[in-house]
Amino acid sequence: AEMAAARLGGTENRLVSLPLSRIRVIMKSSPEVSSINQDALFLTAKATELFVQYLATYSYKHGRGKEKNALTYTDLSHTAEECETFQFLADILPKKILASKYLKMLEKEKRDGEVREDNEGEEEDDEDK
């Protein structure tokens, strides 16, 4: 059985371009996973590969990639932000912004948070009266 699995493993490696050993490490990093079936590993690798291909193709077609004949990070982040299918990637592919603009946003969030906390405290006092 081990020889058959080894032969099958060799064939599978040629059918996917992502490294199965890396995918196994990522899958095993989940506390719920104790062992990984070879078929499950292969199918996860293939599905990931097809997903990345779909994301790249969609981003290229709907971005400015065609103009420049290139796929850019901006195209990918725009897809993650605008396309409902890919919105779960928005945190992983955020829009690029200048560091100075980001720091201003953080400062504003901090100020808004402090204002909200103060207001919440006043509302609680009103209810007690």
Side-chain angles (χ1 to χ4, degrees):
E2 284 181 38
M3 284 183 58
R7 272 188 273 124
L8 190 62
T11 306
E12 286 173 352
N13 281 326
R14 279 181 249 121
L15 295 174
V16 292
S17 54
L18 296 172
L20 295 179
S21 58
R22 289 287 177 97
I23 291 171
R24 179 183 282 112
V25 168
I26 293 168
M27 289 172 77
K28 281 196 167 190
S29 70
S30 174
E32 296 90 35
V33 176
S34 54
S35 65
I36 298 162
N37 176 304
Q38 198 61 25
D39 290 339
L41 177 63
F42 170 74
L43 290 172
T44 300
K46 194 63 183 174
T48 303
E49 192 175 293
L50 292 171
F51 173 77
V52 170
Q53 187 177 5
Y54 178 58
L55 171 64
T57 304
Y58 185 96
S59 299
Y60 179 82
K61 285 180 181 173
H62 294 86
R64 288 181 292 163
K66 286 186 283 188
E67 298 167 17
K68 302 176 183 177
N69 202 25
L71 176 64
T72 66
Y73 179 87
T74 304
D75 295 330
L76 293 168
S77 66
H78 182 75
T79 296
E81 190 179 346
E82 300 297 323
C83 178
E84 194 175 327
T85 304
F86 297 108
Q87 279 182 351
F88 73 98
L89 295 172
D91 291 343
I92 300 165
L93 292 167
K95 277 177 107 176
K96 282 187 176 180
I97 61 170
L98 295 172
S100 57
K101 190 174 179 183
Y102 180 68
L103 291 172
K104 284 179 186 172
M105 282 172 48
L106 285 179
E107 192 58 41
K108 185 181 182 320
E109 282 178 18
K110 187 179 175 187
R111 282 197 310 269
D112 289 351
E114 288 171 0
V115 168
R116 264 191 232 111
E117 286 173 20
D118 291 347
N119 287 345
E120 287 171 5
E122 289 171 13
E123 288 172 11
E124 288 171 13
D125 291 343
D126 291 342
E127 289 173 16
D128 292 338
K129 290 178 184 175

